[in-house]
PDB file of all heavy atoms in Angstrom:
ATOM      1  N   ARG A 223      -6.156  11.619 -35.841  1.00 96.00           N
ATOM      2  CA  ARG A 223      -5.226  10.638 -36.361  1.00 96.00           C
ATOM      3  C   ARG A 223      -4.572   9.875 -35.300  1.00 96.00           C
ATOM      4  O   ARG A 223      -4.374   8.613 -35.529  1.00 96.00           O
ATOM      5  CB  ARG A 223      -4.050  11.474 -37.032  1.00 96.00           C
ATOM      6  CG  ARG A 223      -4.413  11.880 -38.380  1.00 96.00           C
ATOM      7  CD  ARG A 223      -3.206  12.617 -39.037  1.00 96.00           C
ATOM      8  NE  ARG A 223      -3.534  13.385 -40.114  1.00 96.00           N
ATOM      9  CZ  ARG A 223      -2.962  14.480 -40.638  1.00 96.00           C
ATOM     10  NH1 ARG A 223      -1.861  14.872 -39.967  1.00 96.00           N
ATOM     11  NH2 ARG A 223      -3.361  15.199 -41.582  1.00 96.00           N
ATOM     12  N   ILE A 224      -4.348  10.479 -34.046  1.00 97.00           N
ATOM     13  CA  ILE A 224      -3.890   9.679 -32.997  1.00 97.00           C
ATOM     14  C   ILE A 224      -4.795   8.630 -32.647  1.00 97.00           C
ATOM     15  O   ILE A 224      -4.435   7.417 -32.455  1.00 97.00           O
ATOM     16  CB  ILE A 224      -3.625  10.539 -31.741  1.00 97.00           C
ATOM     17  CG1 ILE A 224      -2.503  11.627 -32.043  1.00 97.00           C
ATOM     18  CG2 ILE A 224      -3.199   9.738 -30.553  1.00 97.00           C
ATOM     19  CD1 ILE A 224      -2.421  12.728 -31.042  1.00 97.00           C
ATOM     20  N   ARG A 225      -6.064   8.988 -32.609  1.00 97.00           N
ATOM     21  CA  ARG A 225      -7.065   7.924 -32.174  1.00 97.00           C
ATOM     22  C   ARG A 225      -7.078   6.763 -33.252  1.00 97.00           C
ATOM     23  O   ARG A 225      -7.297   5.633 -32.936  1.00 97.00           O
ATOM     24  CB  ARG A 225      -8.370   8.612 -32.220  1.00 97.00           C
ATOM     25  CG  ARG A 225      -8.707   9.298 -30.872  1.00 97.00           C
ATOM     26  CD  ARG A 225     -10.037  10.081 -30.930  1.00 97.00           C
ATOM     27  NE  ARG A 225     -10.391  10.676 -29.627  1.00 97.00           N
ATOM     28  CZ  ARG A 225     -11.157  11.582 -29.462  1.00 97.00           C
ATOM     29  NH1 ARG A 225     -11.807  12.255 -30.624  1.00 97.00           N
ATOM     30  NH2 ARG A 225     -11.453  11.976 -28.226  1.00 97.00           N
ATOM     31  N   GLU A 226      -6.945   7.050 -34.524  1.00 97.00           N
ATOM     32  CA  GLU A 226      -6.996   6.079 -35.549  1.00 97.00           C
ATOM     33  C   GLU A 226      -5.852   5.108 -35.281  1.00 97.00           C
ATOM     34  O   GLU A 226      -5.907   3.893 -35.698  1.00 97.00           O
ATOM     35  CB  GLU A 226      -6.955   6.683 -36.960  1.00 97.00           C
ATOM     36  CG  GLU A 226      -8.218   7.282 -37.424  1.00 97.00           C
ATOM     37  CD  GLU A 226      -8.083   8.234 -38.549  1.00 97.00           C
ATOM     38  OE1 GLU A 226      -6.897   8.483 -39.095  1.00 97.00           O
ATOM     39  OE2 GLU A 226      -9.090   8.699 -39.072  1.00 97.00           O
ATOM     40  N   LYS A 227      -4.830   5.567 -34.735  1.00 96.00           N
ATOM     41  CA  LYS A 227      -3.588   4.739 -34.554  1.00 96.00           C
ATOM     42  C   LYS A 227      -3.665   3.993 -33.243  1.00 96.00           C
ATOM     43  O   LYS A 227      -3.172   2.833 -33.155  1.00 96.00           O
ATOM     44  CB  LYS A 227      -2.370   5.500 -34.564  1.00 96.00           C
ATOM     45  CG  LYS A 227      -2.109   6.127 -36.014  1.00 96.00           C
ATOM     46  CD  LYS A 227      -0.916   7.028 -36.078  1.00 96.00           C
ATOM     47  CE  LYS A 227      -0.733   7.569 -37.378  1.00 96.00           C
ATOM     48  NZ  LYS A 227       0.550   8.416 -37.456  1.00 96.00           N
ATOM     49  N   ILE A 228      -4.186   4.511 -32.158  1.00 96.00           N
ATOM     50  CA  ILE A 228      -4.095   3.806 -30.845  1.00 96.00           C
ATOM     51  C   ILE A 228      -5.458   3.209 -30.397  1.00 96.00           C
ATOM     52  O   ILE A 228      -5.405   2.369 -29.502  1.00 96.00           O
ATOM     53  CB  ILE A 228      -3.566   4.796 -29.752  1.00 96.00           C
ATOM     54  CG1 ILE A 228      -4.508   5.894 -29.522  1.00 96.00           C
ATOM     55  CG2 ILE A 228      -2.194   5.331 -30.224  1.00 96.00           C
ATOM     56  CD1 ILE A 228      -4.139   6.693 -28.206  1.00 96.00           C
ATOM     57  N   GLU A 229      -6.542   3.758 -30.819  1.00 95.00           N
ATOM     58  CA  GLU A 229      -7.875   3.232 -30.287  1.00 95.00           C
ATOM     59  C   GLU A 229      -8.304   1.999 -31.089  1.00 95.00           C
ATOM     60  O   GLU A 229      -8.113   1.774 -32.210  1.00 95.00           O
ATOM     61  CB  GLU A 229      -9.004   4.274 -30.567  1.00 95.00           C
ATOM     62  CG  GLU A 229      -8.734   5.672 -29.875  1.00 95.00           C
ATOM     63  CD  GLU A 229      -9.065   5.651 -28.306  1.00 95.00           C
ATOM     64  OE1 GLU A 229      -9.616   4.559 -27.841  1.00 95.00           O
ATOM     65  OE2 GLU A 229      -8.933   6.634 -27.637  1.00 95.00           O
ATOM     66  N   ASP A 230      -9.043   1.077 -30.272  1.00 93.00           N
ATOM     67  CA  ASP A 230      -9.557  -0.063 -30.870  1.00 93.00           C
ATOM     68  C   ASP A 230     -10.630   0.266 -31.837  1.00 93.00           C
ATOM     69  O   ASP A 230     -10.768  -0.193 -32.974  1.00 93.00           O
ATOM     70  CB  ASP A 230     -10.104  -0.954 -29.888  1.00 93.00           C
ATOM     71  CG  ASP A 230      -9.049  -1.652 -29.042  1.00 93.00           C
ATOM     72  OD1 ASP A 230      -7.824  -1.800 -29.588  1.00 93.00           O
ATOM     73  OD2 ASP A 230      -9.238  -2.050 -27.855  1.00 93.00           O
ATOM     74  N   ASN A 231     -11.514   1.301 -31.404  1.00 94.00           N
ATOM     75  CA  ASN A 231     -12.446   1.812 -32.302  1.00 94.00           C
ATOM     76  C   ASN A 231     -12.369   3.356 -32.335  1.00 94.00           C
ATOM     77  O   ASN A 231     -12.876   3.948 -31.355  1.00 94.00           O
ATOM     78  CB  ASN A 231     -13.921   1.305 -31.906  1.00 94.00           C
ATOM     79  CG  ASN A 231     -14.943   1.917 -32.806  1.00 94.00           C
ATOM     80  OD1 ASN A 231     -14.833   2.698 -33.651  1.00 94.00           O
ATOM     81  ND2 ASN A 231     -16.203   1.625 -32.396  1.00 94.00           N
ATOM     82  N   PRO A 232     -11.861   3.861 -33.236  1.00 93.00           N
ATOM     83  CA  PRO A 232     -11.548   5.439 -33.304  1.00 93.00           C
ATOM     84  C   PRO A 232     -12.969   6.170 -33.234  1.00 93.00           C
ATOM     85  O   PRO A 232     -12.872   7.413 -32.792  1.00 93.00           O
ATOM     86  CB  PRO A 232     -10.778   5.680 -34.553  1.00 93.00           C
ATOM     87  CG  PRO A 232     -10.302   4.361 -34.999  1.00 93.00           C
ATOM     88  CD  PRO A 232     -11.195   3.309 -34.515  1.00 93.00           C
ATOM     89  N   ASN A 233     -14.012   5.544 -33.648  1.00 92.00           N
ATOM     90  CA  ASN A 233     -15.304   6.260 -33.594  1.00 92.00           C
ATOM     91  C   ASN A 233     -15.842   6.246 -32.212  1.00 92.00           C
ATOM     92  O   ASN A 233     -16.798   7.001 -31.823  1.00 92.00           O
ATOM     93  CB  ASN A 233     -16.332   5.702 -34.537  1.00 92.00           C
ATOM     94  CG  ASN A 233     -15.788   5.884 -35.983  1.00 92.00           C
ATOM     95  OD1 ASN A 233     -15.210   6.991 -36.260  1.00 92.00           O
ATOM     96  ND2 ASN A 233     -15.934   4.919 -36.875  1.00 92.00           N
ATOM     97  N   ASP A 234     -15.323   5.398 -31.347  1.00 93.00           N
ATOM     98  CA  ASP A 234     -15.755   5.314 -29.865  1.00 93.00           C
ATOM     99  C   ASP A 234     -14.587   5.328 -29.106  1.00 93.00           C
ATOM    100  O   ASP A 234     -14.187   4.307 -28.400  1.00 93.00           O
ATOM    101  CB  ASP A 234     -16.687   4.073 -29.705  1.00 93.00           C
ATOM    102  CG  ASP A 234     -17.212   3.881 -28.289  1.00 93.00           C
ATOM    103  OD1 ASP A 234     -17.303   5.040 -27.605  1.00 93.00           O
ATOM    104  OD2 ASP A 234     -17.491   2.699 -27.913  1.00 93.00           O
ATOM    105  N   PRO A 235     -13.815   6.479 -29.002  1.00 93.00           N
ATOM    106  CA  PRO A 235     -12.509   6.455 -28.355  1.00 93.00           C
ATOM    107  C   PRO A 235     -12.616   6.200 -26.837  1.00 93.00           C
ATOM    108  O   PRO A 235     -13.414   6.757 -26.242  1.00 93.00           O
ATOM    109  CB  PRO A 235     -11.981   7.834 -28.606  1.00 93.00           C
ATOM    110  CG  PRO A 235     -13.210   8.642 -29.046  1.00 93.00           C
ATOM    111  CD  PRO A 235     -14.172   7.732 -29.609  1.00 93.00           C
ATOM    112  N   LYS A 236     -11.732   5.272 -26.390  1.00 92.00           N
ATOM    113  CA  LYS A 236     -11.721   5.059 -24.861  1.00 92.00           C
ATOM    114  C   LYS A 236     -10.495   5.596 -24.259  1.00 92.00           C
ATOM    115  O   LYS A 236     -10.448   5.739 -23.043  1.00 92.00           O
ATOM    116  CB  LYS A 236     -11.684   3.462 -24.688  1.00 92.00           C
ATOM    117  CG  LYS A 236     -12.886   2.740 -25.410  1.00 92.00           C
ATOM    118  CD  LYS A 236     -14.097   2.960 -24.460  1.00 92.00           C
ATOM    119  CE  LYS A 236     -15.353   2.143 -24.973  1.00 92.00           C
ATOM    120  NZ  LYS A 236     -16.487   2.771 -24.988  1.00 92.00           N
TER     121      LYS A 236
END
Side-chain angles (χ1 to χ4, degrees):
R223 283 188 196 150
I224 299 168
R225 280 173 171 160
E226 281 163 0
K227 293 175 181 179
I228 66 167
E229 298 278 357
D230 289 334
N231 177 4
N233 295 321
D234 180 23
K236 301 285 185 218

